[in-house]
């Protein structure tokens, strides 16, 4: 008996080792899970490229002050290169000496820049007339060769003037955008203003070669729609039925019968063969990416609102494919919100003071109503007062406010809502009492000062009250929710100041000035996580450097000292707040940071990552742990300090790790007002990061690694067999052990 048991244990151990040593290698998700909509925007000018008939140059104007110059393969519909110029291009010239060089001219400032057509390197620039160049005429198609007769487009033969090719005009045809007779024959039509269709010749027929849609350029706002598994919906319906049943017993009986029926169906599907059921359980649907995408919450529709007033639904697991789009016929899109918790209705605000409700019927948008706001004027911003309560505060350009209440049943008379608004001149506290907007406090800055970045504290799930230090003492986080942080630049003193305020009272809690001559031309940004603030600015003193500052807020910097407790809650209006203590540290980052964001996950357990859009168009992230305000130089760290979780000595330079550059070698053009966002998924480890602007880019990040996702190679079979063997062992060993116990009690050997 003894020997068999040992043998069994050995078998078990070896099996256990084999299952537990499964190598979890994650395939590189680069260019698999990430996608980009590379936009050109509406084409303004087309200039044929003299060197290659396949290529054209397209000039488009993403903003009033910049141009996008793109090289485009007109046969295949591929973008070859895009180049943003910080001025509007009026004319393009060809260098007389070198036909691989173009000159872009901005006639308003009389300046020009010379580029190499191959790599778009800037060769020369100047003011006035560009030396030795001829103006390239903008393309105009030869009218005598392409004629439109009724619903058909005819391409005429040069000599006989007979139609050589005929094409039925597509629905929404606008104009012929480009036509080229010489080999290869290319025809580009503009349809519905923002769509471009390319045709090529196949024998005697014109066949569609490619199509581009430029309508979803310049995203101003977004909403996320979860796509649910039909099985989950079934389960949900079951739950609703159970909840609605008359008694507990009925609900129980309902659950038993539905599950029994399901089990019978499973058996029936597998022809009552237990082996088949077992193999099916083993196989499960891990290989089926669509079900796992649904289960893990990756399957979402990203709904974007563009400045031109078009909304589009993008399939997030299908490389951002446009599932639907709708022109709202408004002058300019401003904001978009879900009206209900079930995400069936959207409300969209336009700049000229209209609001539209949009129903999603079977996943497709339908405009349900359109109305205009009572107050007149251009809408500057819209704030949603409470999540999905259909109450909005609209601010107009002229400083007026209007409260829009769509659901008269929602009542806030018992409590007042506090709002914080900001612009470059000040921060304004407002209170909404009895459906009236009242000003409470304001903090305006001096004429030489400017508020360049502002952020309120993120709403996060509270997982721990403090940080455990190496000696097991606790440092309590300052978790008062009504906080905001902002940066003020001062031209007179050449400083940048960080401020932390209480958004209820407007009291400034921390101010911290930097005198290292910040460069006001470069971007600054600020993010506010659970109990910390991270901000970035570029300084020139003593050497030009990108600074990244982290400020951590604690109840006290003395371990185990706590002032807040559950009995006495925070109430700033009666002065019931405890003051915070803070600690800050500065880091240097090797690239210019344009925008910051914090990664979001469902339960906020995963360590936070600071996502950064860089000035060069790349997106990268660093774990928040790297930016630790309490870190010390190695020689000052005590043994206790080193015992702290993830403790690392202070290193002033944060390097860029290539693995953390999530845009890989993509060329992203996001424009000045891009939105860097993070969307949680059902997997706690994984967060979706998107950057929305001129282009749309999305990918997934796992700041703490994919700890909750088994690799596809995980050997489930072996695990199940191990468990089975374990059960068998306990089944056999248990009687033998009790037998032994009994014998020992009777002193039988
Ligand atoms: C443009 O596309 C055509 C057709 O796909 C291809 O044959 C040609 O090589 C491409 N030219 C360039 C410059 O990419
Ligand atoms: C079309 O005709 C013009 C003059 O009639 C001639 O110069 C040109 O080469 C012809 N093009 C083709 C493709 O035959
Ligand atoms: C242009 O728009 C119309 C209606 O808005 C639509 O039916 C048509 O399919 C569009 N054209 C193309 C080529 O998508
Ligand atoms: C061109 O036509 C041939 C024969 O008519 C056909 O087999 C081929 O698929 C066509 N090519 C395209 C790109 O439509």
């Amino acid at each position: 008996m003894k020997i068999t048991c040992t043998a069994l244990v050995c078998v078990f151990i070896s099996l256990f080792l084999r299952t537990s040593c499964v190598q979890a290698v994650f395939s590189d998700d680069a260019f698999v899970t990430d996608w980009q909509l590379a936009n050109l925007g509406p084409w303004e000018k087309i200039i044929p490229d003299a060197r290659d008939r396949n290529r054209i140059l397209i000039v488009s104007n993403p903003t009033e002050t910049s141009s996008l110059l793109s090289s485009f393969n007109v046969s295949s519909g591929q973008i070859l290169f895009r180049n943003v110029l910080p001025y509007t291009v009026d004319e393009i010239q060809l260098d007389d000496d070198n036909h691989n060089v173009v000159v872009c001219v901005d006639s308003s400032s009389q300046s020009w820049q010379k580029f190499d057509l191959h790599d778009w390197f800037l060769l020369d620039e100047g003011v006035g007339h560009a030396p030795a160049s001829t103006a390239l005429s903008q393309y105009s198609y030869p009218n005598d060769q392409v004629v439109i007769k009724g619903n058909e487009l005819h391409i005429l033969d040069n000599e006989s003037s007979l139609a050589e090719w005929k094409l039925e005009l597509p629905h929404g045809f606008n104009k012929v955008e480009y036509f080229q007779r010489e080999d290869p024959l290319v025809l580009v039509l503009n349809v519905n203003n923002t769509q471009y269709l390319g045709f090529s010749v196949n024998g005697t027929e014109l066949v569609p070669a490619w199509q581009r849609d430029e309508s979803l350029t310049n995203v101003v706002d977004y909403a996320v729609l979860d796509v649910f598994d039909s099985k989950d919906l079934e389960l949900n319906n079951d739950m609703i039925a159970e909840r609605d049943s008359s008694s507990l017993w009925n609900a129980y009986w309902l659950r038993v019968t539905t599950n029994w029926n399901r089990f019978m169906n499973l058996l029936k599907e597998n022809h009552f063969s237990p082996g088949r059921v077992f193999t099916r359980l083993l196989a499960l649907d891990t290989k089926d990416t669509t079900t796992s995408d649904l289960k893990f919450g990756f399957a979402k529709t990203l709904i974007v609102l563009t400045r031109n007033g078009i909304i589009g639904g993008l399939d997030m697991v299908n490389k951002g494919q446009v599932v639907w789009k709708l022109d709202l016929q408004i002058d300019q899109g401003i904001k978009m919100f879900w009206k209900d918790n079930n995400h069936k209705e959207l409300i969209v605000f336009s700049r000229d003071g209209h609001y539209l409700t949009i129903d999603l019927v079977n996943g497709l948008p339908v405009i349900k109503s359109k109305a205009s706001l009572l107050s007149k004027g251009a809408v500057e911003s819209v704030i949603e007062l409470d999540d999905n309560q259909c109450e909005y505060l609209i601010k107009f350009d002229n400083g007026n406010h209007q409260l829009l209440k769509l659901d008269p049943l929602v009542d806030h008379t018992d409590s007042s809502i506090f709002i914080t608004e900001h612009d470059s001149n000040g921060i304004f506290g407002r209170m909404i009492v009895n459906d009236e907007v009242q000003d409470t406090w304001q903090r305006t800055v001096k004429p030489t000062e400017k508020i360049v970045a502002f952020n309120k504290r993120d709403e996060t799930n509270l997982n721990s009250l403090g940080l455990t230090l190496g000696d097991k003492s606790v440092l309590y986080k300052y978790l008062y929710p009504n906080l905001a942080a902002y940066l003020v630049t001062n031209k007179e003193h050449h400083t940048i100041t960080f401020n932390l305020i209480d958004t209820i009272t407007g009291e400034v809690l921390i101010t911290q000035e930097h005198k290292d001559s910040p460069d006001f031309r470069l971007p600054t940004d600020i993010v506010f996580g659970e109990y910390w603030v991270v901000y970035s600015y570029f300084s020139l003193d003593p050497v030009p450097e990108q600074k990244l500052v982290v400020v951590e807020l604690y109840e006290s910097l003395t371990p185990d000292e706590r002032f807040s407790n559950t009995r006495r809650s925070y109430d700033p209006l009666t002065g019931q707040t405890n003051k915070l203590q803070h600690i800050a540290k500065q880091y240097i980052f090797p690239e210019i940071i344009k925008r910051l964001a914090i990664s979001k996950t469902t339960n906020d357990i995963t360590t936070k990552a600071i996502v950064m859009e860089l000035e060069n168009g790349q997106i990268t992230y660093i774990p928040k742990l790297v930016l630790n305000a309490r870190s010390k130089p190695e020689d000052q760290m005590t043994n206790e300090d080193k015992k702290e979780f993830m403790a690392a000595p202070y290193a002033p330079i944060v390097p860029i790790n290539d693995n953390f550059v999530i845009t890989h070698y993509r060329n992203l053009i996001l424009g000045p007002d891009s939105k860097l966002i993070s969307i949680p998924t059902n997997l706690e480890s994984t967060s979706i990061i998107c950057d929305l602007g001129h282009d749309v880019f999305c990918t997934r990040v796992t700041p703490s690694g994919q700890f909750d996702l088994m690799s596809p190679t995980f050997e489930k079979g072996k695990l199940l067999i191990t468990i089975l063997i374990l059960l068998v062992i306990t089944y056999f060993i248990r009687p033998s052990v009790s037998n032994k116990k009994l014998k020992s009690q009777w002193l039988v050997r």
Side-chain angles (χ1 to χ4, degrees):
M1 192 64 198
K2 220 173 184 176
I3 295 159
T4 46
C5 271
T6 335
L8 268 173
V9 168
C10 281
V11 170
F12 159 69
I13 288 174
S14 71
L15 260 171
F16 177 78
L17 281 180
R18 285 190 65 189
T19 37
S20 60
C21 292
V22 170
Q23 306 269 298
V25 179
F26 300 110
S27 56
D28 191 5
D29 285 342
F31 296 98
V32 178
T33 54
D34 56 343
W35 51 268
Q36 176 192 8
L37 294 189
N39 292 319
L40 299 177
W43 303 5
E44 307 269 331
K45 286 194 180 106
I46 298 177
I47 291 128
D49 190 328
R51 299 161 307 148
D52 184 347
R53 286 208 208 96
N54 278 319
R55 292 196 209 183
I56 53 172
L57 286 175
I58 299 170
V59 180
S60 44
N61 295 334
T63 67
E64 274 112 53
T65 53
S66 68
S67 324
L68 180 64
L69 196 62
S70 320
S71 181
F72 187 77
N73 188 336
V74 83
S75 306
S76 63
Q78 274 170 330
I79 298 172
L80 301 170
F81 195 87
R82 295 186 299 166
N83 194 17
V84 183
L85 302 175
Y87 51 88
T88 47
V89 174
D90 301 306
E91 201 178 293
I92 293 189
Q93 303 174 352
L94 193 67
D95 195 287
D96 288 343
D97 306 328
N98 183 350
H99 283 205
N100 285 325
V101 172
V102 288
V103 185
C104 298
V105 183
D106 174 19
S107 56
S108 64
S109 68
Q110 289 283 314
S111 57
W112 53 267
Q113 285 188 318
K114 237 181 218 190
F115 294 97
D116 185 314
L117 259 179
H118 287 290
D119 45 27
W120 289 93
F121 271 139
L122 181 64
L123 299 174
D124 198 3
E125 58 188 333
V127 180
H129 278 286
S133 59
T134 26
L136 285 172
S137 58
Q138 188 192 334
Y139 171 78
S140 62
Y141 75 88
N143 271 316
D144 51 340
Q145 289 184 25
V146 182
V147 288
I148 287 153
K149 284 198 179 131
N151 201 23
E152 274 190 340
L153 179 139
H154 292 189
I155 297 176
L156 304 183
D157 185 69
N158 201 0
E159 271 133 38
S160 63
S161 289
L162 291 174
E164 206 173 344
W165 289 282
K166 285 183 186 173
L167 177 76
E168 196 187 322
L169 288 179
H171 202 80
F173 168 78
N174 203 27
K175 63 174 182 188
V176 176
E177 195 77 49
Y178 182 78
F179 170 71
Q180 167 184 288
R181 184 76 195 233
E182 297 87 9
D183 186 54
L185 185 143
V186 182
L187 175 72
V188 181
L189 302 185
N190 177 314
V191 180
N192 291 340
N193 288 321
T194 50
Q195 271 170 290
Y196 298 87
L197 307 180
F199 294 87
S200 62
V201 155
N202 188 4
T204 57
E205 264 186 288
L206 280 170
V207 289
W210 52 266
Q211 86 164 41
R212 283 193 62 80
D213 191 342
E214 303 289 352
S215 56
L216 299 181
T217 312
N218 287 329
V219 174
V220 292
D221 204 9
Y222 74 100
V224 181
L225 178 67
D226 284 303
V227 178
F228 289 107
D229 194 348
S230 51
K231 279 186 209 143
D232 286 350
L233 291 180
E234 200 182 319
L235 199 69
N236 205 15
N237 289 342
D238 284 359
M239 301 287 248
I240 291 169
E242 275 175 32
R243 200 190 57 203
D244 293 347
S245 48
S246 53
S247 70
L248 195 66
W249 166 250
N250 281 350
Y252 179 71
W253 184 243
L254 193 71
R255 179 173 292 193
V256 170
T257 46
T258 41
N259 282 344
W260 176 253
N261 288 339
R262 240 172 240 155
F263 180 62
M264 289 314 283
N265 284 340
L266 179 74
L267 287 185
K268 237 181 249 166
E269 270 167 37
N270 296 291
H271 305 283
F272 296 97
S273 143
R276 276 196 198 187
V277 175
F278 192 66
T279 44
R280 202 173 130 174
L281 285 181
L282 281 185
L284 258 154
D285 33 32
T286 43
K287 277 174 219 98
D288 188 352
T289 50
T290 44
T291 36
S292 65
D293 281 342
L294 283 168
K295 209 185 302 167
F296 299 152
F298 297 154
K300 292 180 196 294
T301 308
L302 180 70
I303 302 176
V304 292
L305 170 69
T306 70
R307 200 166 56 200
N308 291 338
I310 295 171
I311 54 168
L314 308 177
D315 184 348
M316 294 193 89
V317 281
N318 236 328
K319 301 262 161 208
Q321 196 193 14
V322 182
V323 198
W324 49 258
K325 61 174 190 167
L326 180 66
D327 191 346
L328 300 178
Q329 316 278 353
I330 50 176
D331 71 327
Q332 195 179 323
I334 295 269
K335 269 284 194 192
M336 172 163 73
F337 302 99
W338 285 116
K339 265 185 82 182
D340 53 340
N341 286 323
N342 299 330
H343 294 181
K344 292 222 163 62
E345 235 174 63
L346 279 166
I347 179 161
V348 175
F349 289 88
S350 79
R351 179 133 175 96
D352 60 358
H354 284 98
Y355 60 96
L356 291 82
T357 45
I358 293 147
D359 249 358
L360 286 174
V361 184
N362 297 327
L364 292 178
V366 178
I367 299 179
K368 204 171 122 192
S369 69
K370 182 173 178 177
S372 54
L373 297 166
L374 286 179
S375 317
K376 294 281 163 268
V379 176
E380 191 185 294
S381 65
V382 183
I383 301 176
E384 190 179 32
L385 291 191
D386 239 333
D387 259 359
N388 306 330
Q389 296 272 23
C390 300
E391 232 186 320
Y392 309 93
L393 180 67
I394 295 130
K395 187 183 176 197
F396 295 90
D397 266 354
N398 53 19
N400 286 348
H401 286 88
Q402 187 195 331
L403 199 66
L404 178 71
K405 207 167 171 182
L406 293 181
D407 188 351
L409 295 177
V410 177
D411 194 19
H412 289 297
T413 41
D414 52 330
S415 66
S416 32
I417 301 174
F418 292 91
I419 304 258
T420 317
E421 281 181 342
H422 66 100
D423 56 26
S424 60
N425 299 319
I427 300 180
F428 310 91
R430 308 207 197 277
M431 188 163 72
I432 290 157
V433 191
N434 297 332
D435 296 340
E436 297 266 341
V437 186
Q438 291 175 3
D439 295 352
T440 51
W441 54 266
Q442 64 176 42
R443 293 222 157 254
T444 45
V445 295
K446 293 190 211 115
T448 51
E449 291 180 329
K450 209 171 139 192
I451 293 173
V452 286
F454 175 94
N455 225 322
K456 279 197 276 193
R457 183 177 180 269
D458 248 17
E459 277 174 33
T460 53
N461 295 310
L462 178 61
N463 291 314
S464 72
L465 290 172
L467 304 180
T468 314
L469 305 184
D471 57 2
K472 301 267 181 338
S473 58
V474 176
L475 213 52
Y476 287 97
K477 303 172 183 173
Y478 190 68
L479 295 169
Y480 174 63
N482 307 309
L483 292 173
Y486 61 97
L487 297 175
V488 182
T489 57
N490 187 321
K491 262 191 269 174
E492 196 184 354
H493 299 124
H494 245 77
T495 56
I496 193 160
T497 313
F498 159 76
N499 292 294
L500 184 88
I501 53 165
D502 182 323
T503 55
I504 305 278
T505 59
E507 183 189 0
V508 176
L509 303 174
I510 302 177
T511 116
Q512 177 173 296
E513 197 178 45
H514 299 279
K515 293 181 179 160
D516 44 4
S517 50
D519 190 337
F520 301 149
R521 293 164 304 173
L522 290 173
T524 47
D525 205 3
I526 194 163
V527 284
F528 200 153
E530 191 185 16
Y531 67 103
W532 44 265
V533 178
V534 171
Y535 59 92
S536 65
Y537 69 96
F538 197 86
S539 68
L540 298 169
D541 224 13
V543 283
E545 272 165 345
Q546 174 67 52
K547 296 277 168 65
L548 207 52
V549 184
V550 56
V551 182
E552 291 178 1
L553 318 173
Y554 296 100
E555 292 203 2
S556 164
L557 291 175
T558 316
D560 285 339
E561 198 171 47
R562 189 178 175 199
F563 298 107
S564 68
N565 55 43
T566 43
R567 272 170 290 133
R568 213 194 65 177
S569 58
Y570 291 115
D571 189 358
L573 294 179
T574 58
Q576 279 204 8
T577 49
N578 52 290
K579 286 283 171 277
L580 75 167
Q581 292 194 335
H582 74 281
I583 182 165
K585 195 129 273 159
Q586 198 172 55
Y587 290 85
I588 295 166
F589 196 72
E591 290 281 346
I592 299 174
I593 298 168
K594 186 174 151 202
R595 217 168 285 287
L596 298 171
I598 304 173
S599 66
K600 286 199 176 77
T601 53
T602 328
N603 297 310
D604 296 314
I605 294 167
T606 306
T607 51
K608 294 282 168 190
I610 312 287
V611 188
M612 299 182 275
E613 183 192 325
L614 306 180
E615 187 76 346
N616 64 15
Q618 283 175 329
I619 300 173
T620 182
Y621 70 94
I622 46 174
K624 160 69 185 64
L625 289 171
V626 172
L627 305 177
N628 180 359
R630 290 183 306 108
S631 62
K632 298 177 192 161
E634 179 139 37
D635 51 338
Q636 288 172 23
M637 279 175 88
T638 60
N639 277 339
E640 300 284 74
D641 285 340
K642 286 180 188 160
K643 276 190 209 148
E644 195 185 321
F645 175 65
M646 299 288 272
Y650 173 64
I653 298 175
V654 180
I656 295 189
N657 186 330
D658 284 347
N659 292 334
F660 288 78
V661 177
I662 53 180
T663 42
H664 309 293
Y665 50 83
R666 286 174 188 281
N667 171 21
L668 289 183
I669 294 179
L670 291 154
D673 305 311
S674 59
K675 291 190 157 35
L676 187 59
I677 57 164
S678 172
I679 305 164
T681 65
N682 296 352
L683 286 184
E684 174 57 29
S685 67
T686 313
S687 173
I688 298 175
I689 302 290
C690 290
D691 208 340
L692 316 172
H694 182 83
D695 285 0
V696 177
F697 169 78
C698 285
T699 188
R700 291 177 208 153
V701 298
T702 51
S704 305
Q706 275 182 325
F707 57 78
D708 48 6
L709 188 66
M710 271 190 216
S711 77
T713 51
F714 186 83
E715 291 164 74
K716 207 182 280 171
K718 280 184 192 155
L719 186 74
L720 284 180
I721 290 169
T722 316
I723 292 170
L724 216 71
I725 289 175
L726 261 176
L727 284 176
V728 171
I729 290 172
T730 32
Y731 184 75
F732 280 114
I733 285 182
R734 212 168 163 197
S736 96
V737 169
S738 53
N739 212 350
K740 217 172 171 183
K741 265 190 194 159
L742 190 68
K743 278 182 184 164
S744 69
Q745 271 176 11
W746 287 98
L747 293 171
V748 180
R749 280 188 195 267

